[in-house]
Amino acid sequence: MKIGILTSGGDCPGINATIRGVCKSALYHYGMEVWGIQAGFLGLLNGEMAPITDPQLSGLLNLGGTFLGTSREKPFKKKGVQDPDKKPRIILDTIERCGFDALVCIGGNGTQKTANKLAQAGVNVITIPKTIDNDVWGTDLTFGFDSAVSIATDAIDRLHSTASAHRRVMVIEVMGHKAGWIALYSGMAGGGDIILLPELPYDMRNIGGAIIDRLKRGKNYSIVVVAEGIKCPDGKRAAQYIAEEIEYETGFETRETVLGYIQRGGSPTAFDRNLATRMGGYATQLIAEGKFGEMVALRGGDITSLPLAEIAGKTKLVDEHHDLIEQGRRMGICFG
Ligand code: F6P
């Protein structure tokens, strides 16, 4: 069999480990031929692709980014496009011309949507979910998330000492798009005093009150972890808005930090390397079994798969009753 593999959407730690998992099992175990497509769906539009050979599969486990490159190309996008059938046509032609028996798409929510459209058009697609945001519906976890949480937690740890030295309020904004997974997990692991998620409403008076209460209990600094996706007026960045409002409400000197792309860069954690490897190998197994139109998923500790049609267009948000929130509330952490 001849398979094509691409990575699409924002990069994250663990992508190279999953490409390695797909390719090594395809080459060594199943005797398949694998072609690497450059820069996501763009590579299928401009024909940028080449066979992946054994020597390329070394040194990938701990390598950040994606050696195939990525892009946010959405070939099925209709809005503002003159001839919306053009790109899908080119892509389907390319897949046929190249003789791909299957296409592996590694990506987040946007990729699941595009892959589902390709599956509906008759392409044998398998997807592997990846994103630091952990917001892909149908899988308990995405690889990249654990690495991002560990980077964000380290950053929050470092803010404690400077916040304490200056008796300041420190606001840190973490990524996550419209979901609060990174804020919740890094906020709890890093001992945040106030954690704001897009999924939960917040009231600046509660936040100010929580900071003043802490002072009354002898705690003269506070750490506020804010998800980038919380609602803010005037198109302001989350950290900037919350820091300004805290100063206004409490009169405390407040500083903000936007962690940004550092969360997406560098080496994956051991957990992410293993999750990525398991998912990659399973994708190849699905191809060998001829089971297509599926997304590989982690569910209850097992690697399995779900129909793309069930996943496309959905987002996995943090449940307001998540046990980290419930336990955090009991411990006096303010969630807004
Ligand atoms: O999906 C990963 C992510 O890093 C989000 O957390 C963030 O909102 C977005 O990508 C940033 O997108 P871009 O790479 O296009 O700036």
Side-chain angles (χ1 to χ4, degrees), residues 133-195:
D133 301 338
N134 194 35
D135 61 349
V136 177
W137 197 88
T139 183
D140 294 348
L141 286 173
T142 52
F143 61 79
F145 173 61
D146 186 63
S147 305
V149 167
S150 105
I151 295 162
T153 303
D154 179 58
I156 298 167
D157 286 348
R158 286 166 193 276
L159 287 178
H160 277 271
S161 56
T162 174
S164 159
H166 287 265
R167 299 185 171 189
R168 278 175 176 160
V169 177
M170 287 289 182
V171 179
I172 175 165
E173 178 183 313
V174 295
M175 281 185 164
H177 201 221
K178 290 184 178 141
W181 294 105
I182 299 177
L184 177 61
Y185 274 69
S186 64
M188 289 299 286
D193 306 301
I194 290 142
I195 301 173

Side-chain angles (χ1 to χ4, degrees), residues 204 242-255:
M204 283 316 304
I242 296 295
E244 281 170 10
E245 291 294 304
I246 287 174
E247 273 202 349
Y248 177 78
E249 284 287 330
T250 65
F252 282 122
E253 194 175 39
T254 306
R255 294 282 191 271

Side-chain angles (χ1 to χ4, degrees), residues 18-311:
T18 212
I19 297 173
R20 173 180 176 270
V22 171
C23 295
K24 283 201 169 186
S25 58
L27 261 56
Y28 306 161
H29 187 69
Y30 295 104
M32 297 170 177
E33 184 183 343
V34 190
W35 281 60
I37 299 157
Q38 293 292 314
F41 295 101
L42 259 187
L44 285 174
L45 289 169
N46 58 23
E48 239 190 295
M49 60 189 79
I52 294 182
T53 54
D54 208 5
Q56 285 169 281
L57 298 175
S58 293
L60 291 181
L61 253 185
N62 59 351
L63 188 69
T66 158
F67 88 94
L68 292 174
T70 187
S71 69
R72 293 206 185 269
E73 172 62 42
K74 294 184 176 73
F76 288 90
K77 193 175 139 195
K78 286 202 163 77
K79 218 167 147 195
V81 180
Q82 244 187 357
D83 179 3
D85 294 332
K86 190 175 165 194
K87 286 184 175 178
R89 217 168 35 234
I90 298 175
I91 286 185
L92 293 174
D93 280 355
T94 308
I95 292 171
E96 201 179 315
R97 194 167 28 81
C98 295
F100 290 140
D101 300 300
L103 182 70
V104 178
C105 303
I106 301 162
N109 281 325
T111 306
Q112 310 309 325
K113 273 204 220 167
T114 303
N116 186 42
K117 293 253 165 63
L118 286 175
Q120 286 167 345
V123 178
N124 292 334
V125 188
I126 295 295
T127 67
I128 305 177
K130 66 101 188 86
T131 167
I132 61 166
D133 301 338
N134 194 35
D135 61 349
V136 177
W137 197 88
T139 183
D140 294 348
L141 286 173
T142 52
F143 61 79
F145 173 61
D146 186 63
S147 305
V149 167
S150 105
I151 295 162
T153 303
D154 179 58
I156 298 167
D157 286 348
R158 286 166 193 276
L159 287 178
H160 277 271
S161 56
T162 174
S164 159
H166 287 265
R167 299 185 171 189
R168 278 175 176 160
V169 177
M170 287 289 182
V171 179
I172 175 165
E173 178 183 313
V174 295
M175 281 185 164
H177 201 221
K178 290 184 178 141
W181 294 105
I182 299 177
L184 177 61
Y185 274 69
S186 64
M188 289 299 286
D193 306 301
I194 290 142
I195 301 173
L196 304 181
L197 316 178
E199 292 86 347
L200 301 177
Y202 64 88
D203 181 332
M204 283 316 304
R205 279 165 305 184
N206 288 345
I207 295 168
I211 291 167
I212 289 164
D213 276 357
R214 277 178 53 76
L215 184 69
K216 286 186 188 151
R217 284 185 279 122
K219 309 197 179 206
N220 51 24
Y221 77 94
S222 291
I223 303 289
V224 185
V225 181
V226 181
E228 65 174 353
I230 62 162
K231 283 203 178 71
C232 295
D234 315 326
K236 278 192 180 158
R237 285 213 70 125
Q240 185 200 353
Y241 173 71
I242 296 295
E244 281 170 10
E245 291 294 304
I246 287 174
E247 273 202 349
Y248 177 78
E249 284 287 330
T250 65
F252 282 122
E253 194 175 39
T254 306
R255 294 282 191 271
E256 79 246 24
T257 301
V258 179
L259 197 53
Y261 294 92
I262 288 165
Q263 289 158 99
R264 265 173 37 185
S267 211
T269 57
F271 179 87
D272 275 342
R273 292 179 203 186
N274 288 332
L275 179 59
T277 299
R278 291 169 77 195
M279 286 185 159
Y282 196 81
T284 312
Q285 186 183 321
L286 287 174
I287 294 171
E289 288 167 359
K291 195 170 171 193
F292 298 113
E294 297 272 309
M295 180 188 85
V296 177
L298 177 77
R299 286 169 87 91
D302 294 326
I303 303 291
T304 178
S305 71
L306 278 92
L308 273 171
E310 262 182 47
I311 291 148

